[in-house]
Amino acid sequence: MHKASIVFRRELKSYFNVPIAWLFIVIFNLAISIFFFFVQQFFALDRADLRPYFSLLPLFFTILVPALTMKMWAEEKKQGTYEMLMTMPFSEFDLVIGKFLAAFVLLLIAIASTVFIPITMFLFGYFDPGQIFAQYIGIFLFAAACSAIGQYVSANTKSQISAFVVTMILLIILNIFSQIPLWFNMTGKIADVINWLSVNYHYNSFAKGVLDSRDALYFLIITTGFLYATMQKLYLGRWR
Amino acid sequence: MDRLIKEKQLMFLIFGGLFLLALLSNLYFFRIDFTVSHSNTLSKVARDFYKELPDTVRITYFISPSLKAKHPGPQMIEDFLLELQAVSRGKIIVSISNPEKDTYRAESLGIKPQQMQVVEKSEQRIALVYSGIAVEYLDRSFALPVVITTDTLEYELLKGIRALVNQKENIAGILIGDGDKIFDQDYRYLKSYLEKGGYTVQEIERGKRIETNVAVLFVIGNSALTRYDAYFIDQYIMHGGRVFFAVKGVNINPNYNLIAQPVMESGIIDLLASYGIFIKRELVLDVSNLTVPFQQPTYSGMFTIQYVPYPHWIVIDKKYVNSNHILTARFNGMDLYWPSPIEYNDNKAFVIQSLIKTTPKAWKQTKAFYTSPNDSRSYTLERTDTEGSYVLGVAGEGILKTAFADPGNLPQPESGQEEPVVSEIKESKTRLVVITGSDSFSDLVEMMQSDVNLNFAVSIADWLVQSDDLLSIRTRSYKPERLDKIKDADVRTTVIILVYILTIGIIPLGFVITGLLLFNKRKKKEQLARLA
C-alpha cells in the first residue's frame, strides 16, 4: 500500500496543480446550489426534507465525474508517460488504487464543500439527521463506483474526449436502468437483473435513511469489479 | 505465458466470486436504520405482536409482477412482511402471490386493481395491476386493498390484525356541531383519514342517543349544539364512551367577510366546564402563523391575490407541546384556525394535561374580533395587555362525574324528542381530548395543506380507544415537516439571502481564491527554481 500511497499523492497533487480540481469544485458547488434553490425551489416547497438535494448529486456526478476521470490514463497515453509509468516499480494494483483514491478523495472534497447547504437548512426546520447521514453514505458509495467506472473507461481509450463521452454514457445508462422495465413493460427475472444493475434502484433505501447490505454490496461490487478490470487491462497491456 | 494463464484464471475466479457475492447478497442481508425514530425498522410492538395471537394469522401479499419490476416499493413491502414473519415464532405466515394467476381469489379477499400506464410495442395502454395485502385468521379476513409503500404499513397492518383477532370493529362517530357545516361536504378529508386509520366512520345525528358500540366520538364544532345535545354526549361518556371535542369560543363565518361572533349556544361549553375544562369566548393570535392567500381589490376595480401573514391561523411549534404526553411526544405539527384559549382545573380523579400551547408571544382578542386581513392593523389592539402563552388543547383521563346528576337541571326536549332522565351511572372512567379551532379539522385543511391536523385527529382517536402502543408506531413514521423554525417572515427572508450568499457566493469564491493563491505560489516557486 505504500507504493499506492505514493501514486495517490502524486495524482492528487496533479489535480490541484492545474485548475481542473478547483474548477470541478466551483462548478459542482454552483450547479448544486442553483438547482437546489432555484430549479427545485426548496424554500417554496416548504418541506424539511433533503431528498431533492441528494437526488441532485448522482445527476451531477454523471456529468462531472467523467470530466475528472477522463485524464487518468488517456492523458498518460497521450503524453507518452504511460510506458514510462509501466516501467516504474509500481504494480498494477498500486497504480489503479492510487489513481482511484485520488479521484475519490477529490469527489469527497467536492461533496464536503457542499455540506453547508444541509447544515444551514437546519436553521429553517427539523430535519432527520440520521436520514441525512445515510444519504451521505449512499452518495460516498456512488462516488466510489463512479470513479472506478471512469478509470476503467480511461484505461481503455486513448483520447480524453472519448473517455469523457463513454463514461458519461455508462453512468447515464446505470442511472436510467430502472426505467427500462417501465418503458418496455418487462417482468420476471430480466427485469430483476436490470433493476439490480440500476444505481437508482439501490440508492432508494439510502434516501429513506436505511443502509441495506444488498445496496451497499452492489456499489462495492461495481467498484471492485471495475478496479479489478482496470488492473487486468493494464496487466494484459504489458504483455502485448 | 504460464503467468498470463494464471492471471486469466484469477480474473475468472474474481469475477465469478463477485457474481456469487451479488447472488448471495439477496439471500443474506441486513439493514441499519439511521432515522432518528427508526421508522424503517420493526417496532417493539410488532416484535411482540405474536403474543397477542391465539392462532396462526396468514398474510398474503398480492403483487403483480409487472408492478414489482417497475417500483421499489413492493420489494420493501415484501422485506417488511418477511421480517414480521421471522419474529412471529410461527404465528404469522407470509406468502407472496401473483394475483394475475388467480384474480378471483385476490379480489374476493378485497384486493383492488389499480390502473397503470404502460408502453407496449410503442403503444400506450392502461394495465390493471395489484399491490394489496390480505390477512386471514380462522374464517375471517380483512384487506389493505392498495399498498405501495411501507410508510404507514406497520401501523395499518397491526391495527387490522388486532381488530380481526379480537373481532372488534372500531366505529368513529362524527357529530357535526356547526349549523353551517355538512358532514359529506365539509369533512371528506377527515372521513378519509379515519377510514385509512382503520375506523368505520358514522355520522351521528344531533339530539339523538349515541350508541355504545361507537368506539370514539368526534364532536366537531359546537356553535349549534344545545344542552339537549350535550346531555346525550354526557350519557355516552357515562356509558364508557371516549370523546374528542374540536370546539370554538368564537364563531367565524368565512362566507360573510369573516365576521366573528362569540358562540351563543352554550351546550358544549357548559358541559366541558362541568368537567373542569373552560373554553373562553375569545380569539388567540400568534406570531407563529400561516401566510394565506387573500383576494384584495385594486384601483382598477380588478382583484389581486396577495399572500399575507394571518395570526389567526396558528402554526403550533413542537417546542410548545407537551412532550411527556404520548399524543404529542412525537409531534409532527399542527395548524389551528381561529382557536380560543382553554383553561382547566386540577382534579385528582380526572387528570387534565395541557397538550398544545402557543408561543409566549401570542395575544388575545377579547372584546372586538378583527379577523379580516382588511383589518390587519387592528389585530394587535389588545396585544400589549394580553401577550403570553395560551393553552389550545388538553387531554384528560380518569373518572368523570355526570354533568346532569340533578333532575331539576335536565334539558327540555322539543316535541317528539326523547325525554332526558337522570342516568343511573353517575361517573365513568374515560378519556377526553379538547382542542379549540374546530375548523382546523374541516376540508379547509386542503387550502393550507394542513394534513398534519388530520393525522393528529387519527392519533387522538387511537389514544382515546387506548391503542397507545399502535399510536407510538403511527407517530414515529417520518413525515417531512414545514420549514417553520424561523417564525418572523423578515428574519426568515434575511437568513435565506445569507444562505444564498454563502452557498452561491462565498464558498465558490473561496475555492477560486485559494486556487489562484496556490497557483501563484507554485508559479513563483518555479520561477525561482528556474533562476537558480
Side-chain angles (χ1 to χ4, degrees), chain B residues 156-191:
Chain B
E156 287 170 16
L157 191 65
L158 296 191
K159 191 170 186 181
I161 295 174
R162 186 174 279 175
L164 188 72
V165 171
N166 299 331
Q167 278 189 289
K168 193 179 161 192
E169 188 185 22
N170 273 334
I171 297 173
I174 297 187
L175 174 64
I176 305 302
D178 291 327
D180 60 341
K181 299 245 171 21
I182 298 165
F183 175 64
D184 290 328
Q185 281 178 18
D186 298 301
Y187 296 95
R188 287 167 303 165
Y189 289 105
L190 179 64
K191 184 174 183 248

Side-chain angles (χ1 to χ4, degrees), chain A residues 17 46-48 116 122 124 128 130 181-183 185 187 195 204 208-209 211 213-214 217 228 232 235, chain B residues 7 25 29-32 34 36 40 66 69-70 76 79 119-120 150 478 481 483-485 507 522:
Chain A
N17 278 345
D46 199 24
R47 283 278 174 269
F116 290 99
F122 275 85
F124 296 94
D128 188 328
L182 205 69
W183 294 336
N185 200 27
T187 55
N195 277 332
N204 201 43
K208 285 190 81 174
L211 192 158
S213 64
R214 289 168 293 185
L217 214 56
Y228 184 72
Q232 280 303 308
Y235 180 77
Chain B
E7 274 296 330
S25 73
F29 58 89
F30 64 87
R31 288 156 29 111
I32 305 170
F34 286 107
V36 172
N40 301 302
S66 52
K70 289 160 195 155
M76 290 180 182
D79 290 348
V119 181
E120 227 172 22
T150 51
Y478 174 68
E481 296 168 17
L483 301 169
D484 55 7
K485 228 175 180 178
I507 293 169
R522 200 166 56 86

Side-chain angles (χ1 to χ4, degrees), chain A residues 1-185:
Chain A
M1 277 306 274
H2 173 67
K3 284 180 183 173
S5 76
I6 295 170
V7 179
F8 161 69
R9 283 200 297 268
R10 170 198 174 255
E11 280 294 314
L12 197 63
K13 240 181 192 174
S14 79
Y15 280 128
F16 284 98
N17 278 345
V18 287
I20 187 164
W22 304 102
L23 205 65
F24 177 82
I25 295 170
V26 170
I27 292 174
F28 187 67
N29 264 281
L30 284 174
I32 288 279
S33 304
I34 290 168
F35 263 76
F36 180 58
F37 291 126
F38 302 111
V39 179
Q40 292 187 329
Q41 301 220 321
F42 175 74
F43 289 112
L45 284 175
D46 199 24
R47 283 278 174 269
D49 187 5
L50 282 173
R51 280 196 225 191
Y53 165 75
F54 283 97
S55 70
L56 282 175
L57 297 177
L59 194 74
F60 286 111
F61 276 0
T62 306
I63 302 158
L64 292 173
V65 170
L68 192 73
T69 56
M70 64 184 183
K71 75 175 199 68
M72 275 181 163
W73 291 104
E75 197 182 51
E76 304 269 13
K77 285 176 193 166
K78 191 185 161 195
Q79 291 183 346
T81 52
Y82 176 78
E83 285 76 15
M84 198 174 74
L85 199 63
M86 300 312 275
T87 57
M88 283 183 163
F90 295 117
S91 66
E92 288 79 17
F93 175 85
D94 300 329
L95 293 169
V96 170
I97 295 295
K99 278 177 180 281
F100 162 75
L101 284 177
F104 182 56
V105 165
L106 180 56
L107 284 174
L108 292 192
I109 293 170
I111 295 168
S113 69
T114 64
V115 83
F116 290 99
I117 294 178
I119 288 174
T120 50
M121 291 310 104
F122 275 85
L123 293 169
F124 296 94
Y126 299 94
F127 292 82
D128 188 328
Q131 191 186 28
I132 294 173
F133 178 68
Q135 284 168 325
Y136 267 117
I137 295 177
I139 207 68
F140 288 164
L141 289 169
F142 181 72
C146 285
S147 310
I149 293 168
Q151 179 170 197
Y152 174 74
V153 176
S154 184
N156 279 282
T157 47
K158 281 183 181 170
S159 125
Q160 289 194 35
I161 302 291
S162 314
F164 175 82
V165 173
V166 175
T167 309
M168 194 164 79
I169 290 171
L170 257 176
L171 292 180
I172 289 173
I173 289 172
L174 279 178
N175 263 298
I176 60 168
F177 247 0
S178 62
Q179 299 297 313
I180 292 174
L182 205 69
W183 294 336
F184 299 100
N185 200 27

Side-chain angles (χ1 to χ4, degrees), chain B residues 62-76:
Chain B
F62 290 96
I63 175 69
S64 298
S66 52
L67 182 63
K68 195 179 173 185
K70 289 160 195 155
H71 198 282
Q75 185 58 53
M76 290 180 182

